[in-house]
């Protein structure tokens, strides 16, 4: 598969300031060395508990948050080394669907203006073509051109998320990052939005990064899944292998918590002890070792495991392997 986007050792550390002089007293290690490759037409899911850094990873890739370190390479171009003008061109190629379909829309702008303004800023299409493009996008996401004169508060939650999808498509991007794109919606509406994303991917040859805490969602839509814990990827492989042969103890614990729609099915729940450590002062060695049921006292607290390929593109960061 052709590589479209490469993320190498991405780090985002937020400084903690104290005192009148705002001296830096420490850092929040939100993302601390994330690396992966996204292929053309591929969907990569990033999952993990709240606070693991998955949303910050997505925002840093788009430079909506400035990374502390690392490289983001899109089609062979290092985004960090670009000028402001070059970065503006690349923004056309990478778009985002936000989690909250209401707060991410300007309440003072009609739907027509919400979709046409990005085209105007980037100089795409003239007046009549722009109007036709807006109508085309609305129909693609299941709305009507007549609804383009309405404001966000006149739509339901599911319709607002369709607007978010249309806005992401407005500039003909190659990569779309979905930050919990269906978590704020009813279950029946979630299925509609997920099926819409799948249909649009086939039609426009899109590549997705889907950020979610819902393992059922990523199983349905993703080709590969990366599991994050406390700012790092601990396991990454094809979605089938994650569900049939999880290797990392954290991944196994996450999957054991997924409800099974079968009253006769017996599943053994893995209960993790303690709370998620603070990203301000992460544990030494393996960051999961204070909660890991398979922790090895001689190595896990002292040495940080590196992502290793166990074969068939199954990557795991664990001393058990």
């Amino acid at each position: 598969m052709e590589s479209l986007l490469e993320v190498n050792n991405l780090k985002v550390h937020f400084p903690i300031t104290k005192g009148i002089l705002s001296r830096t007293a420490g850092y929040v290690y939100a993302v601390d060395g994330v690396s992966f490759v996204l292929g053309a037409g591929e969907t990569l899911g990033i999952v993990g508990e709240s606070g693991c850094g998955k949303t910050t990873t997505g925002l840093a890739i788009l430079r909506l948050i400035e990374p502390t370190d690392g490289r983001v390479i899109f089609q062979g171009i290092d985004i960090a080394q670009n000028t402001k003008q070059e970065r503006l061109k690349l923004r056309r190629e990478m778009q985002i669907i936000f989690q909250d379909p209401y707060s991410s829309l300007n309440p003072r702008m009609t739907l027509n203006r919400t979709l046409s303004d990005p085209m105007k800023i980037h100089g795409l299409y003239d007046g009549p073509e722009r109007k036709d493009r807006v109508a085309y996008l609305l129909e693609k996401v299941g709305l009507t051109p007549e609804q383009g004169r309405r404001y966000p508060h006149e739509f339901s939650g599911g319709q607002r998320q369709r607007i978010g999808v249309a806005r992401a498509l407005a500039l003909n991007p190659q990569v779309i990052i979905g930050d919990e794109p269906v978590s704020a919606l009813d279950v029946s509406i979630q299925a509609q939005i997920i099926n819409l994303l799948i249909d649009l991917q086939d039609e426009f040859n899109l590549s997705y990064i889907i950020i979610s805490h819902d393992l059922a969602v990523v199983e349905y839509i993703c080709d590969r899944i990366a599991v994050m814990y406390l700012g790092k990827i601990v396991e990454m492989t094809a979605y089938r292998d994650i569900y049939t042969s999880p290797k990392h103890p954290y991944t196994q614990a996450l999957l054991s918590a997924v409800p099974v729609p079968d009253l006769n099915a017996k599943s053994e729940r893995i209960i993790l002890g303690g709370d998620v450590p603070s990203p301000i002062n992460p544990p030494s060695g393996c960051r999961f070792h204070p909660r890991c049921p398979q922790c090895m006292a001689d190595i896990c607290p002292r040495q940080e495991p590196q992502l290793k390929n166990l074969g068939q593109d199954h990557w795991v960061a664990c001393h058990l392997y």
Side-chain angles (χ1 to χ4, degrees):
M1 182 181 297
E2 180 185 356
S3 172
L4 183 64
L5 177 71
E6 296 181 24
V7 178
N8 296 326
N9 199 32
L10 183 67
K11 296 181 180 180
V12 181
H13 300 165
F14 297 110
I16 302 171
T17 57
K18 290 184 178 180
I20 299 175
L21 300 178
S22 298
R23 293 176 178 172
T24 300
Y27 292 91
V28 177
Y29 298 93
V31 179
D32 201 21
V34 167
S35 301
F36 61 82
V37 175
L38 180 70
E42 183 187 22
T43 301
L44 173 68
I46 301 179
V47 300
E49 294 172 289
S50 296
C52 71
K54 53 189 185 296
T55 293
T56 305
T57 298
L59 296 177
I61 291 172
L62 296 173
R63 299 296 294 274
L64 296 177
I65 292 177
E66 284 298 318
T68 304
D69 196 7
R71 303 176 68 196
V72 178
I73 302 172
F74 178 77
Q75 290 186 326
I77 302 173
D78 190 343
I79 296 176
Q81 305 300 322
N82 283 351
T83 64
K84 185 177 180 180
Q85 196 63 29
E86 291 171 335
R87 200 176 302 164
L88 182 64
K89 294 179 181 179
L90 279 175
R91 287 196 184 279
R92 289 174 46 184
E93 306 295 341
M94 293 190 289
Q95 294 291 308
I96 186 170
I97 303 170
F98 292 99
Q99 178 177 358
D100 188 345
Y102 187 66
S103 64
S104 62
L105 297 172
N106 190 329
R108 298 186 177 183
M109 292 172 59
T110 64
L111 180 49
N112 282 335
R113 187 178 171 191
T114 296
L115 299 182
S116 62
D117 272 11
M119 305 178 200
K120 183 178 180 181
I121 291 170
H122 287 270
L124 298 179
Y125 313 105
D126 58 21
E129 286 183 340
R130 198 173 297 154
K131 184 177 179 180
D132 292 341
R133 174 69 177 173
V134 169
Y136 171 76
L137 290 172
L138 290 175
E139 291 176 344
K140 279 295 173 187
V141 299
L143 299 174
T144 64
E146 291 75 21
Q147 291 175 303
R149 296 187 291 271
R150 299 183 184 177
Y151 291 86
H153 71 272
E154 299 179 80
F155 294 93
S156 67
Q159 288 175 320
R160 290 187 198 122
Q161 197 59 294
R162 290 177 185 271
I163 297 169
V165 174
R167 181 176 58 183
L169 289 171
L171 301 178
N172 294 314
Q174 296 188 55
V175 177
I176 293 180
I177 297 177
D179 180 16
E180 304 268 11
V182 297
S183 64
L185 308 176
D186 293 336
V187 175
S188 60
I189 306 301
Q190 286 183 8
Q192 294 176 18
I193 298 299
I194 291 171
N195 288 328
L196 172 64
L197 292 174
I198 293 173
D199 293 341
L200 292 173
Q201 182 177 35
D202 293 337
E203 182 171 350
F204 295 99
N205 192 30
L206 298 168
S207 298
Y208 290 142
I209 297 176
I210 302 296
I211 298 165
S212 179
H213 64 271
D214 190 334
L215 290 168
V217 169
V218 293
E219 180 183 14
Y220 186 72
I221 192 174
C222 296
D223 302 307
R224 286 189 302 138
I225 297 175
V227 181
M228 284 191 68
Y229 183 80
L230 214 61
K232 290 182 174 291
I233 291 177
V234 297
E235 185 166 2
M236 181 168 56
T237 186
Y239 78 96
R240 291 187 183 89
D241 294 335
I242 282 285
Y243 290 90
T244 60
S245 181
K247 302 298 184 184
H248 199 280
Y250 177 62
T251 308
Q252 295 169 1
L254 285 181
L255 290 171
S256 74
V258 177
V260 179
D262 184 356
L263 295 177
N264 298 319
K266 294 183 179 181
S267 60
E268 183 178 350
R269 176 72 188 275
I270 301 175
I271 306 297
L272 298 178
D275 297 322
V276 179
S278 170
I280 298 174
N281 186 25
S284 60
C286 174
R287 297 190 175 190
F288 186 59
H289 86 263
R291 307 174 69 197
C292 181
Q294 303 181 56
C295 175
M296 297 178 290
D298 59 332
I299 187 172
C300 294
R302 298 201 311 268
Q303 183 177 336
E304 181 178 342
Q306 302 299 315
L307 270 176
K308 298 178 181 178
N309 190 352
L310 303 184
Q312 298 183 337
D313 207 29
H314 194 147
W315 296 81
V316 181
C318 183
H319 291 303
L320 292 172
Y321 307 96

